[in-house]
């Protein structure tokens, strides 16, 4: 069955120390939906303006991404511009033009409401909650978030966490939300806030997975080694999309073993994402490339 | 056969945000020798003053550490004092009193010169080279270093690297020595400087192992998850001692598989070390505790 993905769809202008790309396909839902589509069908919920390039819609359709939940509104598509610093680990937002995204209210077509697995990609927690309100009874809810919502919508986010099966966030956000420097302590504190599982991303250092089974559920996923990073934009969204897409395609109940596999696949997809601007690397990728890198990840951590 | 360990022996005064301990057993050779002794016999080379507590000598003897290479000189033992900052990741050296260590020249008793595995724990690279000069034909040379030697003895260190089988250093030191921010690039650049293998330590993020076989030799070792760190002093020395001790006890040629096992055992020993001041946690440890944590490390990285 399809995985439901809701989030932002944007035209990004990204500057890295090496190059600049203007108005390329971006947004949390775009990255996540393309990533999830490697594993099975995807139902997309988002909003674009009338200026959204037809070529991007065509890319979604080619990848079996259902666009019944995509709203096309009068006005311009959401735009974001950012510049990465020399180490590519930090960035400055140069410009945010919300445009049609400012009044976005995600509405689910009837067929979408039955989805078993839902990914609430990075958007305001109130919108993420509004999506859950429309769903019949999802089996597994994955939610991504970011520092902005921890800053300006903490109460909404805390309320959402009680309805989430897997919370995804990075090390800085985990420290910000819990006040704990030690990531093991932070991960456990996040579980106490409501989500059944927490995936704590550490960029080049991999990802830690915490679950309700305590030490037995703890999974440390290595990062695939990359000598070169081109553009980190969307890596977190691709990770989330890969995790949710893998779980939807696996079918049946979400077990700890499936969740580990999902995290490994999400990590590997993120490692591909950062090798090129926008979704350029994912466009040319085949499932066999993903599987080969997952197998490599298993070999390079075995002892 | 015994593993040969040469390095410093000190009395450390350590202050953490939680507590302070005065004149406790420290030094790279002390930590490394005790760590190595969990796997088999150890031959120690170092120097202490006449004030060195007999209880510490007794600890070494109890653990089958051969002290034929330990020089006891007129004067005071090397002393070091440092203070850790709030996150326990950075520290300030408050005081260094070299004392008898100032004129230390490591001399190997004849029996020591036959050792198959040698650990050049953290001391000046010229002293590390002097030890190698006295050895017959060691099969596997492990060398640890630190930022100080990269700063003030870079030429000596670079010369030493050509005689080393496994170089151990941390992420900051790898960046400092190579000028590369990306740790995968830094690891490969270090191999090009001479050592056949490089263990690049990342503290709470684990350790990366690079080898002559390229991607096939690359090993990403997770860190054992620790919710609390008491005192990080000696963690790197214990890691190095665990690696060298494991290899010596394993016997036969050092294979990539043995090296991965050795790194896993070294990591686990370091995770015990930081749970208490000085060697307090290692004193009470049994081999079964180490094996249990290595087994846990395997479980928490499997997918």
């Amino acid at each position: 069955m399809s995985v439901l993905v809701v989030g932002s769809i944007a035209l990004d202008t990204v500057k890295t120390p090496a190059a600049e790309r203007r108005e390329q396909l971006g947004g949390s839902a775009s990255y996540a939906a393309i990533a999830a589509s490697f594993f099975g069908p995807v139902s997309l919920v988002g909003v674009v303006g009338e200026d959204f390039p037809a070529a991007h819609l065509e890319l979604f359709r080619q990848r079996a991404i259902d666009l019944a939940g995509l709203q096309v509104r009068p006005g311009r598509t959401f735009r974001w511009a950012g510049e990465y610093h020399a180490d590519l680990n930090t960035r400055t937002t140069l410009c945010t033009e919300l445009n049609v995204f400012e009044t976005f209210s995600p509405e689910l077509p009837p067929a979408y409401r039955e989805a078993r697995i839902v990914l609430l990609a990075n958007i305001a927690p109130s919108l993420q909650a509004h999506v859950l309100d429309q769903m019949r009874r999802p089996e597994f809810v994955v939610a991504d978030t970011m520092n902005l919502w921890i800053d300006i919508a903490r109460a909404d986010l805390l309320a959402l966490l009680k309805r989430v099966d897997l919370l995804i966030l990075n090390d800085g956000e985990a420290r910000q939300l819990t006040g704990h420097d030690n990531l093991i302590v932070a991960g456990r504190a996040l579980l106490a806030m409501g989500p059944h599982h927490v995936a704590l991303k550490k960029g080049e250092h991999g990802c830690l997975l915490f679950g309700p089974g305590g030490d037995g559920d703890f999974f440390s996923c290595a990062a695939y080694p990359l000598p070169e990073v081109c553009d980190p934009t969307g890596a977190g969204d691709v990770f989330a999309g890969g995790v949710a897409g893998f779980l939807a395609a696996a079918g049946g109940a979400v077990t700890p073993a499936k969740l580990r596999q999902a995290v490994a696949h999400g990590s590997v997809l993120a490692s591909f994402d950062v090798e090129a601007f926008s979704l350029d690397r994912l466009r040319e990728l085949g499932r066999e490339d993903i599987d080969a890198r997952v197998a490599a990840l298993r070999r390079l951590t075995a002892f």
Side-chain angles (χ1 to χ4, degrees), chain A:
Chain A
M1 201 177 172
S2 284
V3 55
L4 174 62
V5 174
V6 58
S8 63
I9 300 171
L11 296 175
D12 286 351
T13 295
V14 174
K15 195 171 175 186
T16 70
E20 179 175 356
R21 295 292 175 91
R22 304 193 64 78
E23 305 231 327
Q24 50 185 10
L25 179 58
S28 62
S30 306
Y31 279 107
I34 297 284
S37 73
F38 283 97
F39 305 102
V42 178
S43 302
L44 182 65
V45 177
V47 64
V48 296
E50 292 159 325
D51 61 343
F52 192 67
H56 298 337
L57 295 176
E58 189 49 33
L59 173 67
F60 289 141
R61 284 196 194 96
Q62 279 169 3
R63 300 205 58 94
I65 296 171
D66 183 340
L67 300 182
L70 180 68
Q71 305 167 23
V72 183
R73 288 290 160 91
R76 277 161 62 82
T77 300
F78 176 31
R79 274 161 175 81
W80 176 82
E83 178 169 3
Y84 285 89
H85 307 153
D87 65 356
L88 288 173
N89 280 325
T90 51
R91 72 182 183 198
T92 303
T93 291
L94 300 176
C95 170
T96 305
E97 262 186 55
L98 290 176
N99 299 327
V100 297
F101 195 65
E102 189 161 9
T103 55
F104 176 48
S105 176
E107 299 306 328
L108 273 52
Y112 280 33
R113 302 177 190 208
E114 308 293 323
R116 287 177 48 245
I117 311 279
V118 54
L119 169 57
L120 308 171
N122 177 31
I123 46 171
S126 58
L127 296 185
Q128 293 175 314
H130 182 59
V131 169
L132 287 188
D133 291 342
Q134 298 169 63
M135 299 198 70
R136 208 170 68 85
R137 210 171 93 186
E139 277 175 37
F140 201 85
V141 177
V142 182
D144 195 5
T145 193
M146 73 183 292
N147 53 356
L148 177 67
W149 313 122
I150 300 173
D151 275 338
I152 71 170
R154 181 182 280 256
D156 288 349
L157 179 60
L158 292 178
L160 181 80
L161 292 188
K162 302 194 190 312
R163 306 172 70 184
V164 162
D165 292 286
L166 170 64
L167 171 67
I168 296 176
L169 76 186
N170 70 27
D171 42 7
E173 292 155 0
R175 290 181 170 122
Q176 184 188 358
L177 190 50
T178 66
H180 293 293
D181 257 353
N182 181 300
L183 294 178
I184 306 300
V185 176
R188 293 176 183 173
L190 288 165
L191 286 181
M193 292 177 175
H196 299 142
H197 305 267
V198 172
L200 203 163
K201 298 170 295 173
K202 308 190 295 172
E204 63 171 323
H205 302 304
C207 173
L208 305 178
L209 181 66
F210 299 83
D215 290 351
D217 272 357
F218 181 77
F219 174 46
S220 179
C221 184
Y224 184 83
L226 286 179
E228 241 181 305
V229 172
C230 169
D231 171 17
T233 309
D237 309 312
V238 163
F239 173 82
V243 168
F246 183 92
L247 290 176
V254 174
T255 61
K258 277 182 203 162
L259 210 42
R260 285 177 175 221
Q261 290 277 343
V263 165
H265 282 77
S267 295
V268 154
L269 271 162
S271 78
F272 283 115
D273 171 63
V274 304
E275 292 184 323
F277 279 100
S278 185
L279 286 146
D280 290 1
R281 186 75 176 90
L282 266 59
R283 272 172 209 264
E284 65 183 33
L285 211 62
R287 176 65 195 262
E288 65 283 4
D289 300 312
I290 299 168
D291 291 344
R293 210 170 258 198
V294 169
L297 197 64
R298 189 175 282 115
R299 280 194 304 274
L300 69 84
T301 52
F303 69 91

